[in-house]
Amino acid sequence: MSSTASAPVQATGAAARPMPGTLRLFWRSFAENRGAVLGLSITLVLIVVALLADVVAPHSPIEQFRDNFLTPPVWAQGGTARFLLGTDDVGRDILSRLIFGARLSLLIGIAVVALSLAVGTVLGLLAAFAGGFVDVAIMRMMDIVLVFPSLLLAIVIVAILGPGLFNAMIAVAIVTLPSYTRLTRAAALSELARDYVTATRCAGAGPLRLMFNTVLPNCVAPLIVQATLGFATAILDAAALGFLGLGAQPPTPEWGTMLAGALQFYQRAWWVLAFPGLAILLTVLAFNLFGDGLRDALDPKLRR
Amino acid sequence: MLRYLLRRIGMIVPTFVAVTFLSFMLIRLVPGDPIEVRAGEHGVPPERLAEFRHQFGLDQPLWKQFLDYEAQLLHGDFGTSIVTQDSVLHAFFQLFPATIELSVCAILFAVLVGMPLGVIAAVKRGSGFDYGLMGISVTGASMPIPWWGLMMILIFSVALGWTPVSGRISDAYFIDPVTGFMLIDCWWSDDAGACTSAASHLILPTIVLGTIPLAVVARMTRSAMLEVLSEDYIRTARAKGLGGLRVVVIHALRNALIPVVTVIGLQVGSLLSGAILTETIFSWPGVGHWLIESIQRRDYPVLQGGTLLIATLVMLVNLGVDMTYGFLNPRIRR
């Protein structure tokens, strides 16, 4: 096959040229994966759309056009170019709501991942460095979180804190915490056994310096992958909470909440249901493809 | 083996106590005083409230209340619904067969469809089929369940009229719940119409709940098969002149099964998460639907007891899975 034949040629070619930078090497193996590039492209488009929502969106996401309840999308019978993807039951433009919803979804992803990544990393490092009782206590706590089905635990947390987008984000962050903690702990433990850590310790580095300056940078690769995939999970879980009426509250244009709003009308107005779900699927798919590509590119062991 | 068993059971006890503590705190953390919630919204005189408080032991110190709660649980008292006055444990076991029936069907669907697809993709590695299947698999794993379920209803129930929209069986039939598993009960009752009705009600929820496990199983089978197919003993088997199908199914698949079965075992938690959404969409009278309703009715004792029961079940399933591994793989036992 051509791929096996070209491999040695590529290797000699790379040796002849000056050593490419780590970033270029990474990009080369990342770009080989077409799915990953597709995921990254969709992600970039989403970010641009979210940032420029005020400019791109044809209407306000909450403005109600009282003469246009449940207008079908432009290509269907009865559709108008004024509302490309149609309107919902109170005459709001669906396209504009989706565009502003992109902003919310990315915000949810960033907030949830940042929170659980930060807390999870610190807990994981603590467990790995302190060992003994602290280690056992932290890891048992994570086991307890994992005993609950994630959505059920998120529901219980929201029941305690009260429904709303902010509380839903906290709930999802808590639910996803164990994966970051476990990953950091495992990576840190394998690094701690290495000579360079002993050398740094002998040179008189304090525990904090050892943790964050010496060990953490070498544990980053799996965390980056997990964070990208965690983005997808966060958006999916927040949308599920929104659908159950426990996340963002109407009239917020959050995609999951829009699905819940479509419940009463979807049998006669499919577009009210179809487009928000497609937006969720496309976004989650983009982050999953991107994350898979990152994993393949960052971890040569897992490459096909 | 016995030592491993005891140690593993020893580990579960503190986890269980911690989980019961969380569920004990839940009812105290939700908005609203438990007694006022229990007594309802109408004005009850403060003396009567104090009496209630005493009756439920809520004037005791917190640690005492927690011990009482533990004692209650050990006696099988998981609380009482405010709305129906029914015991939570009783309601749970009445609804749980519906959830198991749906979950088992979904897992069977995922395995029966996903495994062959994964095997074919691994054998035809790099082909259009392989890329197509992996693309579908990552899409399936990214699927927002509520949307997927409603779209299926829209297409197959509303537009095409092939399957019913919701519920477990048509109202035209009454099947005495002997086991609680509708398919078995229908089969038992010898009513062909009821059997067809129950099966047709199962199709869409099974596909919706099975989609994510299907994606995971297909993907996992493919990568496990790829690994096994490159082993020396596969080459030996081929060199012996064994047929392609025999090598793939008998030699390779059997060894590839171990990681795949592990993954299926790990899906229990995420399956229950999916079941909550699937049951809500299809009005499937299971535990997930019941818990979501309990939140909407502010029936917190149900939420508390139901969550605790589900967590306990997940713990027991995990324990069982670990035991099986310990039994199958002597290296884990130490």
Side-chain angles (χ1 to χ4, degrees):
Chain A
M1 268 172 55
S2 63
S3 63
T4 41
S6 67
V9 181
Q10 231 178 7
T12 46
R17 266 181 272 132
M19 256 287 274
T22 332
L23 210 65
R24 273 184 59 190
L25 248 176
F26 162 75
W27 175 251
R28 192 180 294 163
S29 71
F30 181 82
E32 255 175 43
N33 185 338
R34 260 178 275 163
V37 175
L38 180 71
L40 178 63
S41 319
I42 299 176
T43 310
L44 289 177
V45 171
L46 263 174
I47 292 173
V48 171
V49 166
L51 286 176
L52 300 178
D54 299 300
V55 188
V56 190
H59 305 283
S60 147
I62 48 171
E63 188 181 352
Q64 301 179 2
F65 297 92
R66 301 210 174 253
D67 306 326
N68 300 78
F69 293 157
L70 294 175
T71 310
V74 61
W75 60 86
Q77 202 179 12
T80 135
R82 216 174 135 211
F83 307 109
L84 287 177
L85 298 183
T87 58
D88 64 9
D89 53 301
V90 286
R92 291 173 299 203
D93 180 39
I94 290 178
L95 178 63
S96 307
R97 286 177 70 70
L98 289 183
I99 290 173
F100 278 90
R103 210 176 246 193
L104 275 177
S105 279
L106 292 180
L107 188 78
I108 291 167
I110 292 170
V112 168
V113 169
L115 189 61
S116 53
L117 184 63
V119 178
T121 309
V122 171
L123 285 178
L125 283 174
L126 259 178
F129 272 77
F133 175 72
V134 179
D135 184 16
V136 172
I138 290 176
M139 295 328 284
R140 269 301 97 74
M141 246 157 60
M142 296 303 128
D143 287 349
I144 292 165
V145 173
L146 288 173
V147 159
F148 297 93
S150 59
L151 185 61
L152 179 58
L153 183 58
I155 288 172
V156 168
I157 295 171
V158 173
I160 292 171
L161 298 174
L165 185 57
F166 184 72
N167 291 341
M169 291 198 286
I170 292 180
V172 178
I174 294 177
V175 167
T176 49
L177 193 57
S179 48
Y180 298 97
T181 310
R182 287 183 153 190
L183 260 182
T184 313
R185 176 176 173 272
L189 277 180
S190 73
E191 291 300 318
L192 271 175
R194 304 254 174 118
D195 288 341
Y196 77 93
V197 179
T198 321
T200 319
R201 193 173 272 155
C202 290
L208 280 180
R209 192 185 171 80
L210 264 178
M211 267 189 205
F212 292 100
N213 272 8
T214 313
V215 171
L216 185 58
N218 292 303
C219 307
V220 161
L223 285 175
I224 291 179
V225 174
Q226 185 61 38
T228 316
L229 297 174
F231 232 91
T233 320
I235 292 172
L236 216 47
D237 285 359
L241 286 174
F243 173 74
L244 293 172
L246 298 167
Q249 298 297 308
T252 317
E254 198 270 322
W255 295 338
T257 311
M258 286 171 74
L259 284 184
L263 269 179
Q264 287 166 340
F265 312 96
Y266 77 97
Q267 298 202 359
R268 54 195 164 94
W270 56 271
W271 56 91
V272 182
L273 171 75
F275 297 123
L278 268 181
I280 301 173
L281 175 60
L282 205 62
T283 312
V284 174
L285 182 61
F287 278 103
N288 275 335
L289 285 171
F290 181 32
D292 283 348
L294 275 182
R295 173 167 49 205
D296 288 351
L298 286 173
D299 190 346
K301 273 175 296 181
L302 289 173
R303 298 206 56 192
R304 290 154 295 155
Chain B
M1 185 65 201
L2 189 71
R3 255 185 71 194
Y4 169 74
L5 208 133
L6 287 177
R7 218 186 49 152
R8 193 61 189 70
I9 293 177
M11 266 166 72
I12 212 174
V13 173
T15 315
F16 180 74
V17 173
V19 169
T20 56
F21 180 71
L22 282 186
S23 104
F24 167 76
M25 288 311 289
L26 164 67
I27 206 84
R28 281 153 184 84
L29 289 173
V30 289
D33 181 84
I35 282 304
E36 275 160 35
V37 170
R38 236 177 256 246
E41 304 294 321
H42 26 261
V44 179
E47 308 85 59
R48 188 80 188 99
L49 280 183
E51 239 171 76
F52 266 132
R53 223 170 277 279
H54 182 72
Q55 188 188 332
F56 288 107
L58 286 169
D59 50 356
Q60 305 275 345
L62 212 58
W63 63 267
K64 181 99 196 325
Q65 289 183 39
F66 181 57
L67 287 185
D68 287 346
Y69 178 62
E70 292 286 316
Q72 256 181 45
L73 292 179
L74 290 178
H75 285 96
D77 178 5
F78 283 75
T80 310
S81 160
I82 305 171
V83 178
T84 62
Q85 303 298 332
D86 194 10
S87 136
V88 171
L89 192 70
H90 181 238
F92 184 87
F93 281 112
Q94 247 179 354
L95 297 165
F96 198 53
T99 303
I100 296 185
E101 187 172 40
L102 177 58
S103 306
V104 168
C105 286
I107 282 288
L108 279 179
F109 166 73
V111 170
L112 292 181
V113 178
M115 231 182 232
L117 288 179
V119 171
I120 298 173
V123 173
K124 300 192 169 188
R125 178 186 187 183
S127 66
F129 180 85
D130 186 18
Y131 281 115
L133 182 69
M134 285 306 102
I136 293 174
S137 164
V138 69
T139 311
S142 311
M143 197 58 85
I145 295 282
W147 178 73
W148 184 229
L150 292 171
M151 287 306 279
M152 297 287 260
I153 293 179
L154 200 56
I155 295 169
F156 294 105
S157 305
V158 179
L160 297 172
W162 290 355
T163 54
V165 174
S166 64
R168 273 182 100 185
I169 192 164
S170 156
D171 287 337
Y173 301 99
F174 176 77
I175 296 298
D176 199 30
V178 184
T179 58
F181 299 97
M182 193 59 87
L183 281 179
I184 299 176
D185 286 345
C186 285
W187 184 65
W188 206 256
S189 73
D190 256 349
D191 187 339
C195 277
T196 321
S197 173
S200 68
H201 278 82
L202 250 172
I203 295 173
L204 283 191
T206 297
I207 294 175
V208 169
L209 183 56
T211 298
I212 290 178
L214 170 67
V216 176
V217 167
R219 208 183 157 121
M220 203 55 217
T221 310
R222 176 184 175 272
S223 60
M225 279 297 283
L226 282 181
E227 202 154 295
V228 172
L229 282 175
S230 65
E231 296 278 349
D232 287 341
Y233 60 81
I234 295 296
R235 206 176 40 191
T236 312
R238 288 229 164 93
K240 275 200 309 195
L242 294 180
L245 194 68
R246 195 182 158 82
V247 172
V248 169
V249 176
I250 309 275
H251 288 75
L253 184 60
R254 260 172 65 181
N255 288 294
L257 275 179
I258 301 163
V260 176
V261 171
T262 314
V263 164
I264 296 172
L266 290 174
Q267 290 286 307
V268 175
S270 78
L271 199 68
L272 283 170
S273 288
I276 294 176
L277 293 168
T278 312
E279 288 179 5
T280 307
I281 298 160
F282 290 96
S283 307
W284 188 263
V287 171
H289 183 60
W290 177 57
L291 286 177
I292 294 298
E293 272 191 333
S294 79
I295 292 194
Q296 281 154 3
R297 294 170 177 170
R298 301 180 157 270
D299 195 349
Y300 293 122
V302 166
L303 182 64
Q304 179 194 30
T307 308
L308 177 58
L309 281 166
I310 286 182
T312 312
L313 274 168
V314 173
M315 257 188 304
L316 291 178
V317 169
N318 286 348
L319 181 70
V321 171
D322 276 6
M323 296 290 195
T324 319
Y325 292 153
F327 190 67
L328 292 176
N329 187 350
R331 273 175 297 182
I332 309 175
R333 269 182 230 161
R334 272 175 302 124

